[in-house]
Amino acid sequence: RRYPDLFASTVGLPDSVYNGMKSLYEARLGMPLMDTDVSKLVKQIRQPGLVVHARKDRIVPFSDAENIVANWDGAESLFTEGYGHRRILSQPEVAERIVAFLAE
């Protein structure tokens, strides 16, 4: 529920752009954002996935990633130390693990 708001405030989206983004989310999900819960939505996913998250992420709580992995049958996790929210994907070992997961 809070991710679109968090994203919009982090990147400074104008209200008009945010409202359009919110409308797209709701149209694709088929429900109002206030009714969405990631831990419930991931239970519907039938393919495997890789959840990549930094333990010390100051933007998105680490507990959110743990909750997703716990509720997604078939999810694997790559939890890292010391990278934070923005630097994690630029790390070679993270990129290598993502590529290996996709190749599987």
Side-chain angles (χ1 to χ4, degrees), residues 3-97:
Y3 295 120
D5 291 339
L6 178 64
F7 175 77
S9 66
T10 300
V11 301
L13 285 182
D15 287 344
S16 61
V17 175
Y18 172 73
N19 290 332
M21 181 185 81
K22 184 178 168 188
S23 294
L24 280 172
Y25 272 128
E26 292 177 340
R28 288 186 180 190
L29 291 171
M31 66 181 82
L33 279 179
M34 293 309 297
D35 294 343
T36 61
D37 181 342
V38 172
S39 63
K40 291 179 183 173
L41 291 173
V42 296
K43 289 180 181 184
Q44 300 171 27
I45 299 174
R46 300 292 171 239
Q47 63 267 19
L50 177 65
V51 177
V52 180
H53 200 91
R55 291 181 190 277
K56 301 286 183 182
D57 189 325
R58 287 187 258 180
I59 296 174
V60 177
F62 179 66
S63 60
D64 287 4
E66 290 179 306
N67 188 26
I68 289 169
V69 172
N71 285 287
W72 183 352
D73 187 30
E76 296 179 33
S77 61
L78 173 58
F79 298 146
T80 66
E81 298 290 341
Y83 299 137
H85 187 80
R86 292 188 177 93
R87 292 187 350 208
I88 191 169
L89 292 178
S90 66
Q91 304 307 310
E93 67 272 20
V94 173
E96 289 169 13
R97 178 64 187 105

